[in-house]
């Protein structure tokens, strides 16, 4: 590991990769990561960082888990791939589906696997339309989502996404999508009644909006949304791509408010990012309706990598780790520490809001420039966080030790205080 090794990779990267969220005009060389262990990452020059955002919110059991490597290697030796289209199956996919059905609240019991979160949302929205079509309600196809939502970048999931920066330069959005303000049950009801309930297939929402900057809802929001969806015959899709597998301090985000969706979308944490996997868990009612279709009716929706045996084997082992190490409880405990210290930042005039739940927190500053500076300062001090607009985001692996978590929080808080022109809490100690 050396500066020249890093430079070689950075130059090749600029020459040959086109990255997700490619940024024109940025000559900035990429951070080249070469190793991870627990909650820490090493770059190609040998520098070490805390991973304050679990990579892309997904590495929830941390890095360097030999048993996940073994689960993958064992399965690759045995059967590296299998067709999972109707009529064929494989053991890891079956066992993982059964385990997820156990973990999801009843009556969510039927799993369709994908390779990631965006595909899983496409699947959930198509399942909703398919369900209504089978029921003979062919006009029920509009999907309502929320402003600030992030559901992925495919044509359906992009249209459901409520962040306009994801729409620019891609022409017209797919038809059949509506957006409502994020926390207004009234606005949702108005949208349903104005459009006509006979045209609405589903309402999709993240339990806690993550990408937008971590926005937990008011406690009565989801129970009221559930009641509204029932009243108007609208399916409720919970996008648990970030919030699933313990991130909020409960196994599923919706369990914070005792709500059960009709379709639950998962990805990221299911394998802790060690391999790509996602999916949708559908209710008994949806499965029964689909099964009641005239014989020969197919749900013509498919991915080559649906139910990939290696990804599912790693998923199963990852869920065992979450359970064995009590990581959901760890997230709840870690959340208390994060809340206590981060909320102290509210006293700064440059801090507009502090929001979060469990191990996902957002600190909103007064300007995006301040947030970017604080992000840079954190990175210089050995913490990789994330910023979006004026929001700084902290979402460490759920397996982070108490000591490491407080070190991460200290770096985060010190950087915010530094850019706010206030004294760092580290130097106060
Ligand atoms: C809530 C939510 N849904 C969907 C997605 C898209 O997942 P993927 O990038 O695996 O397609 C993300 C990604 O961050 C997400 O946060």
């Amino acid at each position: 590991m050396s500066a020249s090794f890093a430079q070689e990779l950075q130059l090749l990267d600029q020459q040959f990769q086109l990255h997700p969220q490619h940024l024109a005009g940025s000559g900035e060389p990429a951070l080249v990561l070469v190793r991870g262990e627990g909650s820490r990452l090493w770059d190609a020059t040998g520098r070490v960082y805390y991973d304050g955002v679990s990579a892309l919110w997904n590495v929830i059991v941390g890095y360097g888990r030999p048993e996940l490597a073994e689960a993958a290697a064992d399965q690759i030796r045995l059967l590296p791939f299998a067709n999972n289209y109707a009529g064929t199956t494989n053991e890891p996919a079956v066992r993982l589906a059964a385990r997820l059905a156990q973990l999801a609240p009843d009556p969510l019991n039927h799993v369709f696997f994908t390779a990631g979160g965006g595909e899983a949302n496409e699947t959930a929205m198509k399942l909703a339309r398919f369900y209504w079509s089978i029921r003979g309600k062919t006009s029920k196809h509009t999907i309502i989502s929320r402003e600030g939502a992030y559901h992925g970048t495919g044509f359906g999931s992009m249209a459901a996404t409520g962040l306009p920066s994801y729409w620019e330069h891609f022409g017209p959005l797919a038809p059949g999508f509506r957006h409502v303000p994020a926390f207004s049950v009234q606005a949702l009801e108005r949208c349903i009644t104005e459009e006509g309930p006979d045209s609405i297939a589903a309402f999709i929402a993240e339990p806690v909006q993550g990408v937008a900057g971590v926005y937990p809802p008011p406690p009565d929001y989801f129970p009221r949304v559930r009641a509204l969806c029932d009243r108007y015959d609208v399916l409720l899709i919970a996008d648990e791509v970030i919030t699933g597998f313990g991130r909020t301090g409960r196994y599923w985000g919706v369990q914070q408010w005792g709500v059960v969706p009709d379709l639950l979308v998962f990805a990221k944490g299911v394998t802790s990012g060690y391999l790509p996997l996602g999916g949708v868990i559908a209710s008994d009612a949806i499965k029964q309706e689909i099964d009641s279709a005239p014989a020969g009716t197919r749900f013509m929706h498919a991915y080559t990598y649906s139910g990939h045996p290696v990804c599912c084997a790693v998923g199963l082992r990852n869920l065992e780790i979450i359970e064995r190490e009590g990581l959901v409880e760890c997230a709840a405990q870690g959340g208390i520490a994060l809340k206590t210290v981060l909320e102290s930042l509210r006293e700064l005039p440059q801090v507009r809001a502090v929001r979060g739940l469990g191990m996902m927190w957002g600190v909103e500053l007064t300007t995006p420039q301040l947030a970017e500076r604080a992000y840079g300062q954190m990175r210089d001090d050995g913490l990789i966080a994330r910023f979006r607009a004026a929001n700084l985001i902290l979402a460490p692996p759920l397996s982070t030790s108490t000591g490491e978590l407080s070190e991460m929080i200290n770096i985060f808080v010190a950087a915010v205080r530094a850019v706010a022109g206030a004294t760092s809490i580290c130097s106060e100690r």
Side-chain angles (χ1 to χ4, degrees), residues 6 9-11 13-14 17 19 27-33 379:
L9 292 174
Q10 285 163 336
L11 287 174
D13 178 67
Q14 285 177 335
Q17 273 216 78
H19 286 271
E28 190 73 2
L31 173 67
V32 184
L33 295 171
R379 196 152 131 187

Side-chain angles (χ1 to χ4, degrees), residues 341 344-345 347-348 377-378 381 406-429:
V341 185
S344 72
L345 289 172
E347 70 194 20
L348 300 174
Q377 179 69 52
M378 287 171 203
D381 295 343
S406 63
E407 283 179 41
M408 287 191 204
I409 299 173
N410 282 347
I411 296 173
F412 187 97
V413 166
V416 173
R417 288 189 183 272
V419 302
T423 330
S424 131
I425 59 157
C426 292
S427 57
E428 278 169 3
R429 283 182 179 166

Side-chain angles (χ1 to χ4, degrees), residues 57 116-119 121 150-152 206 211 239 241-242 268:
W57 317 82
E119 280 184 1
N121 281 323
Y150 183 69
H151 297 298
E206 300 153 86
V211 172
D239 179 350
V241 167
I242 286 180
K268 298 193 187 269

Side-chain angles (χ1 to χ4, degrees), residues 34-42 51 59-70 271-274 318 321 324-325 397 399:
V34 292
R35 187 163 86 82
E37 189 65 45
S39 296
R40 291 185 302 163
L41 290 164
W42 280 257
D51 182 351
V59 185
I60 62 181
V61 302
Y63 300 91
R65 297 277 190 168
E67 62 185 297
L68 296 184
E70 281 150 22
T271 55
S272 284
Y274 280 56
N318 176 61
I321 296 174
R324 189 173 69 228
E325 298 187 4
S399 56

